[in-house]
Amino acid sequence: MIMDNQTYIHNVKMEEIIWHRLTTAYDRATAFPEYFRILEDRSNLAKKTLDTILSNIEHQDSLWRATPFSMIFLTRIFEKAATETNHVAAYLVDRLLDFFILIAELFHETEKYAEQWGHMEPLPYFSDMLKEEYLFPEECEEEEQEEIFLEEDNPSDELSYSFYYYSYQVLLEYREVFQKIDKEQADTLQDLLY
């Protein structure tokens, strides 16, 4: 059953995402569920883990297959951390606000390019990015994996645009959460969410 995009963003469970078949800037997102658990637990490893996630889902202004799905769980983590008063939660809030600003800026830049090249449309549903034709192969030899990763640099326009579009849609869904944050970064982010 296909859920509408808002319902999907708010209700999808971590185990419903095929992480090992989603690519990042450097590899597959296989370890991401464990990374998110570390962030949720506010472990001493949380700062390093967050930096690892962010460097994998955005690299040189490019977003990857794992990015929009990661944004769902990062915004959920952000929402909880914003209500806490420990140093790990404070770090997560500040670092994620900066990252969310970057994602919003990248989306708006992509929109400008889309206007120049002709209008691009995202895939109709967020969950469409989990269709078999868009996933990394289940099993492949090391040489074949390297070849596929080289091809990953050039996904279809529709799929590539979806990485930016749906990452931004996640932020729009959490606009009310950002409005409650009394930080300059939150104000900057608000200005980018339109």
Tab-separated table of all heavy atoms in Angstrom, residues 22-64:
chain	number	residue	atom	x	y	z
A	22	LEU	N	20.770	1.314	-0.352
A	22	LEU	CA	20.809	2.750	-0.617
A	22	LEU	C	22.254	3.216	-0.586
A	22	LEU	O	22.995	2.891	0.337
A	22	LEU	CB	19.993	3.518	0.430
A	22	LEU	CG	18.498	3.230	0.473
A	22	LEU	CD1	17.848	4.001	1.612
A	22	LEU	CD2	17.836	3.569	-0.856
A	23	THR	N	22.632	3.997	-1.578
A	23	THR	CA	24.009	4.468	-1.642
A	23	THR	C	24.187	5.792	-0.895
A	23	THR	O	23.241	6.552	-0.702
A	23	THR	CB	24.450	4.662	-3.106
A	23	THR	OG1	23.508	5.507	-3.760
A	23	THR	CG2	24.555	3.336	-3.822
A	24	THR	N	25.422	5.998	-0.474
A	24	THR	CA	25.849	7.252	0.155
A	24	THR	C	27.022	7.771	-0.677
A	24	THR	O	27.384	7.179	-1.697
A	24	THR	CB	26.295	7.024	1.612
A	24	THR	OG1	27.541	6.312	1.607
A	24	THR	CG2	25.260	6.251	2.409
A	25	ALA	N	27.652	8.817	-0.231
A	25	ALA	CA	28.801	9.367	-0.960
A	25	ALA	C	29.959	8.376	-1.022
A	25	ALA	O	30.763	8.419	-1.955
A	25	ALA	CB	29.260	10.655	-0.299
A	26	TYR	N	30.037	7.457	-0.057
A	26	TYR	CA	31.202	6.590	0.025
A	26	TYR	C	30.895	5.101	-0.039
A	26	TYR	O	31.785	4.297	-0.297
A	26	TYR	CB	31.980	6.875	1.322
A	26	TYR	CG	32.418	8.297	1.410
A	26	TYR	CD1	31.777	9.192	2.258
A	26	TYR	CD2	33.464	8.774	0.625
A	26	TYR	CE1	32.169	10.522	2.326
A	26	TYR	CE2	33.862	10.102	0.687
A	26	TYR	CZ	33.216	10.967	1.542
A	26	TYR	OH	33.597	12.268	1.599
A	27	ASP	N	29.671	4.705	0.229
A	27	ASP	CA	29.373	3.280	0.325
A	27	ASP	C	27.865	3.095	0.324
A	27	ASP	O	27.129	3.919	-0.194
A	27	ASP	CB	29.999	2.722	1.613
A	27	ASP	CG	30.237	1.224	1.558
A	27	ASP	OD1	29.840	0.569	0.571
A	27	ASP	OD2	30.819	0.688	2.510
A	28	ARG	N	27.427	2.049	0.981
A	28	ARG	CA	25.998	1.828	1.192
A	28	ARG	C	25.641	2.288	2.600
A	28	ARG	O	26.500	2.422	3.466
A	28	ARG	CB	25.658	0.353	1.061
A	28	ARG	CG	25.987	-0.232	-0.286
A	28	ARG	CD	25.429	-1.614	-0.363
A	28	ARG	NE	26.091	-2.406	-1.380
A	28	ARG	CZ	25.603	-3.530	-1.840
A	28	ARG	NH1	24.475	-4.005	-1.369
A	28	ARG	NH2	26.254	-4.219	-2.763
A	29	ALA	N	24.357	2.468	2.854
A	29	ALA	CA	23.888	2.980	4.155
A	29	ALA	C	23.579	1.851	5.139
A	29	ALA	O	22.810	2.036	6.078
A	29	ALA	CB	22.656	3.849	3.941
A	30	THR	N	24.198	0.736	4.995
A	30	THR	CA	23.930	-0.451	5.807
A	30	THR	C	23.987	-0.165	7.308
A	30	THR	O	23.145	-0.655	8.074
A	30	THR	CB	24.932	-1.571	5.452
A	30	THR	OG1	24.903	-1.781	4.035
A	30	THR	CG2	24.608	-2.856	6.179
A	31	ALA	N	24.938	0.625	7.758
A	31	ALA	CA	25.130	0.889	9.186
A	31	ALA	C	24.225	1.997	9.730
A	31	ALA	O	24.229	2.259	10.934
A	31	ALA	CB	26.592	1.242	9.459
A	32	PHE	N	23.444	2.633	8.885
A	32	PHE	CA	22.664	3.785	9.331
A	32	PHE	C	21.687	3.499	10.464
A	32	PHE	O	21.565	4.317	11.382
A	32	PHE	CB	21.964	4.460	8.150
A	32	PHE	CG	22.853	5.405	7.393
A	32	PHE	CD1	24.207	5.157	7.223
A	32	PHE	CD2	22.343	6.562	6.851
A	32	PHE	CE1	25.030	6.037	6.531
A	32	PHE	CE2	23.148	7.454	6.166
A	32	PHE	CZ	24.499	7.189	6.003
A	33	PRO	N	20.971	2.366	10.474
A	33	PRO	CA	20.077	2.118	11.624
A	33	PRO	C	20.835	2.142	12.954
A	33	PRO	O	20.352	2.706	13.944
A	33	PRO	CB	19.486	0.742	11.328
A	33	PRO	CG	19.509	0.655	9.837
A	33	PRO	CD	20.786	1.356	9.437
A	34	GLU	N	22.029	1.563	12.965
A	34	GLU	CA	22.832	1.580	14.195
A	34	GLU	C	23.281	3.006	14.517
A	34	GLU	O	23.269	3.433	15.669
A	34	GLU	CB	24.051	0.661	14.053
A	34	GLU	CG	24.928	0.615	15.290
A	34	GLU	CD	24.195	0.187	16.563
A	34	GLU	OE1	23.223	-0.597	16.481
A	34	GLU	OE2	24.586	0.654	17.651
A	35	TYR	N	23.649	3.768	13.511
A	35	TYR	CA	24.037	5.163	13.721
A	35	TYR	C	22.885	5.958	14.349
A	35	TYR	O	23.095	6.730	15.291
A	35	TYR	CB	24.424	5.842	12.405
A	35	TYR	CG	25.688	5.346	11.750
A	35	TYR	CD1	25.918	5.606	10.400
A	35	TYR	CD2	26.659	4.639	12.448
A	35	TYR	CE1	27.081	5.185	9.770
A	35	TYR	CE2	27.813	4.200	11.826
A	35	TYR	CZ	28.021	4.485	10.489
A	35	TYR	OH	29.166	4.068	9.865
A	36	PHE	N	21.686	5.753	13.833
A	36	PHE	CA	20.534	6.486	14.373
A	36	PHE	C	20.256	6.088	15.822
A	36	PHE	O	19.895	6.929	16.638
A	36	PHE	CB	19.290	6.276	13.508
A	36	PHE	CG	19.407	6.863	12.130
A	36	PHE	CD1	19.091	6.112	11.011
A	36	PHE	CD2	19.838	8.164	11.942
A	36	PHE	CE1	19.214	6.645	9.735
A	36	PHE	CE2	19.960	8.718	10.671
A	36	PHE	CZ	19.643	7.946	9.564
A	37	ARG	N	20.464	4.828	16.150
A	37	ARG	CA	20.274	4.386	17.548
A	37	ARG	C	21.289	5.071	18.477
A	37	ARG	O	20.958	5.459	19.590
A	37	ARG	CB	20.361	2.870	17.654
A	37	ARG	CG	19.086	2.168	17.216
A	37	ARG	CD	19.099	0.690	17.531
A	37	ARG	NE	19.635	-0.115	16.455
A	37	ARG	CZ	19.008	-0.388	15.309
A	37	ARG	NH1	17.813	0.091	15.095
A	37	ARG	NH2	19.577	-1.138	14.392
A	38	ILE	N	22.508	5.213	18.009
A	38	ILE	CA	23.535	5.906	18.798
A	38	ILE	C	23.095	7.351	19.053
A	38	ILE	O	23.215	7.857	20.173
A	38	ILE	CB	24.907	5.856	18.084
A	38	ILE	CG1	25.463	4.427	18.123
A	38	ILE	CG2	25.894	6.841	18.712
A	38	ILE	CD1	26.664	4.195	17.224
A	39	LEU	N	22.570	8.001	18.024
A	39	LEU	CA	22.099	9.379	18.191
A	39	LEU	C	20.908	9.444	19.149
A	39	LEU	O	20.838	10.339	19.990
A	39	LEU	CB	21.708	9.985	16.845
A	39	LEU	CG	22.814	10.129	15.802
A	39	LEU	CD1	22.265	10.778	14.538
A	39	LEU	CD2	23.990	10.918	16.343
A	40	GLU	N	19.988	8.513	19.016
A	40	GLU	CA	18.810	8.492	19.893
A	40	GLU	C	19.193	8.258	21.350
A	40	GLU	O	18.565	8.795	22.255
A	40	GLU	CB	17.829	7.413	19.431
A	40	GLU	CG	17.117	7.778	18.147
A	40	GLU	CD	16.355	6.624	17.521
A	40	GLU	OE1	16.501	5.461	17.984
A	40	GLU	OE2	15.614	6.874	16.550
A	41	ASP	N	20.239	7.470	21.580
A	41	ASP	CA	20.687	7.170	22.946
A	41	ASP	C	21.555	8.272	23.545
A	41	ASP	O	21.908	8.203	24.722
A	41	ASP	CB	21.484	5.855	22.976
A	41	ASP	CG	20.618	4.661	22.664
A	41	ASP	OD1	19.381	4.767	22.750
A	41	ASP	OD2	21.186	3.600	22.318
A	42	ARG	N	21.924	9.261	22.717
A	42	ARG	CA	22.807	10.361	23.146
A	42	ARG	C	24.119	9.810	23.707
A	42	ARG	O	24.679	10.316	24.667
A	42	ARG	CB	22.146	11.274	24.190
A	42	ARG	CG	20.781	11.791	23.846
A	42	ARG	CD	20.777	12.721	22.642
A	42	ARG	NE	19.429	13.228	22.454
A	42	ARG	CZ	18.575	12.754	21.543
A	42	ARG	NH1	18.936	11.797	20.726
A	42	ARG	NH2	17.371	13.251	21.439
A	43	SER	N	24.580	8.744	23.086
A	43	SER	CA	25.829	8.098	23.483
A	43	SER	C	27.003	9.067	23.324
A	43	SER	O	26.914	10.067	22.603
A	43	SER	CB	26.025	6.867	22.604
A	43	SER	OG	27.368	6.558	22.422
A	44	ASN	N	28.116	8.731	23.976
A	44	ASN	CA	29.335	9.537	23.822
A	44	ASN	C	29.819	9.532	22.372
A	44	ASN	O	30.582	10.399	21.966
A	44	ASN	CB	30.453	9.002	24.723
A	44	ASN	CG	30.164	9.270	26.190
A	44	ASN	OD1	29.414	10.185	26.521
A	44	ASN	ND2	30.742	8.465	27.058
A	45	LEU	N	29.378	8.539	21.601
A	45	LEU	CA	29.762	8.453	20.198
A	45	LEU	C	28.867	9.294	19.288
A	45	LEU	O	29.070	9.341	18.080
A	45	LEU	CB	29.692	6.990	19.736
A	45	LEU	CG	30.613	6.002	20.435
A	45	LEU	CD1	30.290	4.582	19.991
A	45	LEU	CD2	32.063	6.346	20.135
A	46	ALA	N	27.878	9.955	19.853
A	46	ALA	CA	26.863	10.649	19.051
A	46	ALA	C	27.463	11.731	18.155
A	46	ALA	O	27.078	11.854	16.985
A	46	ALA	CB	25.778	11.238	19.944
A	47	LYS	N	28.391	12.517	18.671
A	47	LYS	CA	28.952	13.612	17.866
A	47	LYS	C	29.682	13.067	16.638
A	47	LYS	O	29.446	13.512	15.512
A	47	LYS	CB	29.904	14.461	18.710
A	47	LYS	CG	29.209	15.237	19.814
A	47	LYS	CD	30.210	16.018	20.637
A	47	LYS	CE	29.533	16.739	21.780
A	47	LYS	NZ	30.501	17.510	22.573
A	48	LYS	N	30.548	12.092	16.865
A	48	LYS	CA	31.301	11.501	15.764
A	48	LYS	C	30.358	10.787	14.799
A	48	LYS	O	30.528	10.859	13.579
A	48	LYS	CB	32.339	10.517	16.319
A	48	LYS	CG	33.197	9.887	15.270
A	48	LYS	CD	34.221	8.955	15.875
A	48	LYS	CE	35.042	8.311	14.767
A	48	LYS	NZ	35.982	7.330	15.271
A	49	THR	N	29.352	10.115	15.329
A	49	THR	CA	28.399	9.385	14.504
A	49	THR	C	27.596	10.341	13.627
A	49	THR	O	27.399	10.087	12.436
A	49	THR	CB	27.449	8.544	15.393
A	49	THR	OG1	28.248	7.617	16.143
A	49	THR	CG2	26.430	7.792	14.568
A	50	LEU	N	27.153	11.445	14.194
A	50	LEU	CA	26.411	12.418	13.395
A	50	LEU	C	27.282	12.953	12.265
A	50	LEU	O	26.832	13.050	11.116
A	50	LEU	CB	25.902	13.576	14.265
A	50	LEU	CG	25.120	14.650	13.491
A	50	LEU	CD1	23.874	14.057	12.830
A	50	LEU	CD2	24.743	15.798	14.418
A	51	ASP	N	28.514	13.269	12.564
A	51	ASP	CA	29.420	13.765	11.530
A	51	ASP	C	29.606	12.725	10.418
A	51	ASP	O	29.663	13.076	9.234
A	51	ASP	CB	30.770	14.162	12.131
A	51	ASP	CG	30.667	15.398	13.016
A	51	ASP	OD1	29.679	16.155	12.893
A	51	ASP	OD2	31.576	15.605	13.848
A	52	THR	N	29.673	11.457	10.793
A	52	THR	CA	29.800	10.381	9.806
A	52	THR	C	28.574	10.331	8.905
A	52	THR	O	28.693	10.258	7.672
A	52	THR	CB	29.993	9.020	10.511
A	52	THR	OG1	31.203	9.066	11.278
A	52	THR	CG2	30.044	7.871	9.515
A	53	ILE	N	27.389	10.381	9.503
A	53	ILE	CA	26.154	10.353	8.710
A	53	ILE	C	26.124	11.533	7.739
A	53	ILE	O	25.890	11.361	6.546
A	53	ILE	CB	24.904	10.385	9.611
A	53	ILE	CG1	24.776	9.104	10.422
A	53	ILE	CG2	23.639	10.600	8.772
A	53	ILE	CD1	23.704	9.173	11.506
A	54	LEU	N	26.355	12.729	8.265
A	54	LEU	CA	26.226	13.928	7.432
A	54	LEU	C	27.222	13.931	6.280
A	54	LEU	O	26.874	14.338	5.164
A	54	LEU	CB	26.365	15.185	8.287
A	54	LEU	CG	25.334	15.351	9.412
A	54	LEU	CD1	25.499	16.697	10.100
A	54	LEU	CD2	23.914	15.152	8.922
A	55	SER	N	28.440	13.463	6.524
A	55	SER	CA	29.430	13.446	5.434
A	55	SER	C	29.094	12.387	4.387
A	55	SER	O	29.545	12.483	3.244
A	55	SER	CB	30.842	13.223	5.984
A	55	SER	OG	30.968	11.919	6.516
A	56	ASN	N	28.286	11.411	4.762
A	56	ASN	CA	27.878	10.369	3.821
A	56	ASN	C	26.646	10.736	3.010
A	56	ASN	O	26.452	10.224	1.913
A	56	ASN	CB	27.620	9.049	4.553
A	56	ASN	CG	28.863	8.218	4.667
A	56	ASN	OD1	29.203	7.482	3.757
A	56	ASN	ND2	29.559	8.354	5.793
A	57	ILE	N	25.789	11.599	3.549
A	57	ILE	CA	24.550	11.900	2.819
A	57	ILE	C	24.606	13.219	2.051
A	57	ILE	O	23.699	13.522	1.280
A	57	ILE	CB	23.310	11.853	3.740
A	57	ILE	CG1	23.358	12.898	4.845
A	57	ILE	CG2	23.128	10.443	4.303
A	57	ILE	CD1	22.090	12.973	5.678
A	58	GLU	N	25.678	13.976	2.245
A	58	GLU	CA	25.913	15.184	1.444
A	58	GLU	C	27.409	15.304	1.242
A	58	GLU	O	28.181	15.227	2.186
A	58	GLU	CB	25.383	16.431	2.155
A	58	GLU	CG	25.515	17.711	1.349
A	58	GLU	CD	26.896	18.349	1.375
A	58	GLU	OE1	27.607	18.228	2.396
A	58	GLU	OE2	27.279	18.976	0.370
A	59	HIS	N	27.799	15.443	-0.024
A	59	HIS	CA	29.220	15.601	-0.332
A	59	HIS	C	29.336	16.514	-1.540
A	59	HIS	O	28.759	16.230	-2.598
A	59	HIS	CB	29.862	14.237	-0.615
A	59	HIS	CG	31.308	14.320	-0.962
A	59	HIS	ND1	32.259	14.720	-0.052
A	59	HIS	CD2	31.968	14.070	-2.124
A	59	HIS	CE1	33.445	14.707	-0.633
A	59	HIS	NE2	33.289	14.317	-1.888
A	60	GLN	N	30.040	17.614	-1.380
A	60	GLN	CA	30.254	18.580	-2.458
A	60	GLN	C	28.933	18.976	-3.132
A	60	GLN	O	28.803	18.971	-4.348
A	60	GLN	CB	31.249	18.029	-3.474
A	60	GLN	CG	32.617	17.801	-2.880
A	60	GLN	CD	33.609	17.242	-3.882
A	60	GLN	OE1	33.256	16.786	-4.958
A	60	GLN	NE2	34.878	17.272	-3.508
A	61	ASP	N	27.957	19.295	-2.287
A	61	ASP	CA	26.631	19.755	-2.724
A	61	ASP	C	25.803	18.681	-3.432
A	61	ASP	O	24.790	18.991	-4.051
A	61	ASP	CB	26.721	20.993	-3.623
A	61	ASP	CG	27.304	22.198	-2.879
A	61	ASP	OD1	27.304	22.172	-1.630
A	61	ASP	OD2	27.738	23.153	-3.539
A	62	SER	N	26.234	17.438	-3.357
A	62	SER	CA	25.461	16.340	-3.938
A	62	SER	C	24.765	15.559	-2.843
A	62	SER	O	25.329	15.335	-1.772
A	62	SER	CB	26.380	15.381	-4.704
A	62	SER	OG	26.928	16.029	-5.825
A	63	LEU	N	23.527	15.150	-3.138
A	63	LEU	CA	22.769	14.299	-2.235
A	63	LEU	C	22.684	12.911	-2.858
A	63	LEU	O	22.826	12.745	-4.061
A	63	LEU	CB	21.369	14.870	-1.995
A	63	LEU	CG	21.317	16.309	-1.451
A	63	LEU	CD1	19.877	16.704	-1.140
A	63	LEU	CD2	22.203	16.499	-0.238
A	64	TRP	N	22.416	11.922	-2.012
A	64	TRP	CA	22.492	10.529	-2.424
A	64	TRP	C	21.184	9.805	-2.114
A	64	TRP	O	20.305	10.350	-1.461
A	64	TRP	CB	23.672	9.858	-1.722
A	64	TRP	CG	24.921	10.640	-1.981
A	64	TRP	CD1	25.350	11.727	-1.281
A	64	TRP	CD2	25.829	10.477	-3.054
A	64	TRP	NE1	26.493	12.232	-1.852
A	64	TRP	CE2	26.817	11.474	-2.939
A	64	TRP	CE3	25.930	9.551	-4.086
A	64	TRP	CZ2	27.873	11.590	-3.824
A	64	TRP	CZ3	26.988	9.656	-4.972
A	64	TRP	CH2	27.951	10.680	-4.837
